[in-house]
Amino acid sequence: MSLSIDFLGFRLKNPLMLSEGPLSGDFELLKLVSEYRIGLIFTKGIRLKPAISPVPFIRKYERSLINADWSCIGMNEWLDVISKLDINVPLVTSIAKNYVKPDTAVEMAVELVKAGSKAVSFVDYNSNELIKTVRLARTKLKVPIMVKLPPFIHDMEKVLKSLVRAGVDAIAAMDSIGPILSIDIETGEPLLGSVDGSGYLSGRYILPVTLKYIYEISRFVNVPVVGVGGVTDYRSALQMIMAGATGVGMVSEPLLKGPGIFNKVEKDLKSYLKKKDIGNISDLRGITHKIVEERKVSANMRAWINSDICTMCGACEKVCYPGAISKNLKSYTVNRISCVGCGLCESVCPVNAVTFK
Ligand SMILES: Cc1cc2nc3c(=O)[nH]c(=O)nc-3n(C[C@H](O)[C@H](O)[C@H](O)COP(=O)(O)O)c2cc1C
């Protein structure tokens, strides 16, 4: 039973990755996080010049995060960090491509590799710029080259295939979603301190968007994919892998709970593999593709409530918009003629008394 994977020529202890964010933003933080059970670390987005963000720039947003975080140390300081850093976790230097032209981004990558970087990634909200950058980088760099994609790209298949043709070695998806806006109703002020108050959404809420993205990327191309966006626990990590991800990145959850979350997710993934008697985490990679191809869709199933389990809480009746659920003496029951099979009642039942037949 093993969690280790091969990725970009590195042997990782597990598929969990710390993606670009404040926790990998300088020498001290990189030293600190490398003590946790993290398979691979991406640096915070590297820019030519240091930058600071108007405050506040990271806020909890219900169970997720919003941020307008452009803070970073500059390229010169990064070269110093990379040349001095001695950690036991593979590190990918991530270049904030969106601030510079492709040739400058590639020059930055060349400098970082000279300083000791063993792999680079380019991040941009413009996917065509990423294709140009990878094409150029491939002629100048021998180390593995990655990109991180923005959410919602058009012409996904074309962009992905162009990236592969340009020579990309792995693809991460996705960056946080934005721009977004959130407002304090006491004052009417935006919650973030950026000039127009806008920012980006990350964390738990974006998981289903990322999952579909990873599923599509791994359908179109055959390079390793890192699923990042909304992973908070071993369940969401498993979903990423089942959708086709090789690696699973996190940023918001370690910010909210501390980097010890990596140790917890690793432990829970091991328990899951043991319970299910699965030899290697890679055996689960992409299994949802096969299941989707083979499964028969049906419009004939209807809800059924197990009266032995039902606690009569009434949650199912409240959400049953066709009015098919009614209360009997011992439990709730479903009128199979009025039930439309939507599944909402099953998903709100706290004791799993509702099934489909
Ligand atoms: C506070 C904060 C700062 C971030 N900074 C960067 C960055 O510098 N470069 C980058 O590519 N992504 C950055 N991201 C995006 C994350 O790397 C990640 O793609 C996104 O947050 C989704 O993952 P999550 O849901 O696990 O947070 C940042 C995210 C947060 C929350």
Side-chain angles (χ1 to χ4, degrees):
M1 189 207 56
S2 164
L3 288 179
S4 40
I5 57 156
D6 293 315
F7 182 76
L8 300 181
F10 304 113
R11 183 81 184 147
L12 311 190
K13 56 177 158 297
N14 67 39
L16 304 176
M17 302 178 179
L18 176 63
S19 292
E20 299 89 342
L23 292 174
S24 53
D26 65 27
F27 185 85
E28 293 307 325
L29 283 160
L30 285 166
K31 290 285 278 183
L32 179 107
V33 292
S34 70
E35 301 295 321
Y36 292 86
R37 301 294 300 169
I38 302 177
L40 180 139
I41 298 173
F42 292 87
T43 65
K44 186 158 189 9
I46 299 176
R47 290 167 60 174
L48 282 174
K49 297 261 179 305
I52 50 166
S53 313
V55 296
F57 56 86
I58 310 177
R59 305 207 71 140
K60 187 162 184 282
Y61 180 74
E62 297 181 14
R63 296 171 84 178
S64 287
L65 281 187
I66 52 174
N67 85 85
D69 176 19
W70 346 120
S71 319
C72 61
I73 59 175
M75 179 68 182
N76 286 341
E77 206 175 325
W78 269 116
L79 291 173
D80 198 40
V81 170
I82 300 304
S83 60
K84 290 192 182 133
L85 197 67
D86 176 23
I87 55 175
N88 280 329
V89 185
L91 182 80
V92 178
T93 45
S94 183
I95 295 166
K97 157 67 200 65
N98 45 315
Y99 291 96
V100 287
K101 295 213 158 57
D103 51 347
T104 310
V106 174
E107 278 165 27
M108 291 167 75
V110 168
E111 290 302 305
L112 288 161
V113 170
K114 275 193 208 150
S117 171
K118 303 276 188 298
V120 295
S121 185
F122 298 99
V123 184
D124 199 320
Y125 244 60
N126 179 334
S127 42
N128 287 325
E129 283 283 292
L130 286 176
I131 299 168
K132 279 188 213 156
T133 309
V134 173
R135 201 176 290 135
L136 181 61
R138 197 69 288 171
T139 64
K140 312 257 176 190
L141 295 173
K142 297 263 185 303
V143 300
I145 300 172
M146 283 189 66
V147 293
K148 183 162 86 174
L149 296 175
F152 314 122
I153 54 173
H154 297 292
D155 283 334
M156 195 189 298
E157 183 172 4
K158 198 168 142 218
V159 169
L160 292 167
K161 291 192 170 152
S162 304
L163 280 168
V164 172
R165 264 199 306 279
V168 84
D169 294 297
I171 296 174
M174 55 185 202
D175 212 331
S176 355
I177 297 179
I180 54 89
L181 182 66
S182 188
I183 294 172
D184 177 346
I185 58 160
E186 295 304 322
T187 61
E189 255 194 85
L191 289 179
L192 289 168
S194 57
V195 175
D196 63 356
S198 70
Y200 293 84
L201 175 69
S202 60
R204 182 182 289 247
Y205 287 161
I206 72 173
L207 177 70
V209 182
T210 320
L211 279 175
K212 175 64 175 162
Y213 205 171
I214 297 303
Y215 184 89
E216 291 299 307
I217 297 172
S218 52
R219 199 159 72 82
F220 289 134
V221 288
N222 204 11
V223 293
V225 180
V226 175
V228 48
V231 175
T232 53
D233 54 18
Y234 81 100
R235 290 187 194 87
S236 36
L238 282 168
Q239 289 185 66
M240 282 292 186
I241 292 165
M242 289 177 176
T246 298
V248 177
M250 284 198 274
V251 173
S252 297
E253 199 65 5
L255 276 171
L256 283 166
K257 303 261 173 71
I261 187 72
F262 283 97
N263 299 31
K264 169 144 181 51
V265 177
E266 184 195 61
K267 187 163 157 265
D268 292 347
L269 283 175
K270 280 188 181 155
S271 307
Y272 177 89
L273 291 191
K274 196 163 169 215
K275 194 172 101 202
K276 298 265 184 182
D277 197 20
I278 296 165
N280 192 291
I281 191 81
S282 314
D283 299 345
L284 295 173
R285 189 181 308 140
I287 63 163
T288 303
H289 290 260
K290 198 159 174 282
I291 291 166
V292 168
E293 271 163 33
E294 287 171 1
R295 80 171 175 171
K296 291 192 174 54
V297 292
S298 160
N300 296 327
M301 310 255 267
R302 295 293 177 262
W304 177 78
I305 298 172
N306 184 337
S307 58
D308 294 337
I309 302 177
C310 176
T311 59
M312 308 278 285
C313 73
C316 57
E317 187 192 23
K318 270 196 203 108
V319 299
C320 182
Y321 65 89
I325 296 181
S326 56
K327 198 174 179 179
N328 276 353
L329 273 184
K330 246 187 90 206
S331 85
Y332 281 85
T333 51
V334 182
N335 177 327
R336 294 179 65 81
I337 308 287
S338 341
C339 173
V340 292
C342 70
L344 191 53
C345 55
E346 185 199 25
S347 64
V348 300
C349 176
V351 292
N352 297 326
V354 187
T355 47
F356 272 79
K357 292 198 170 183

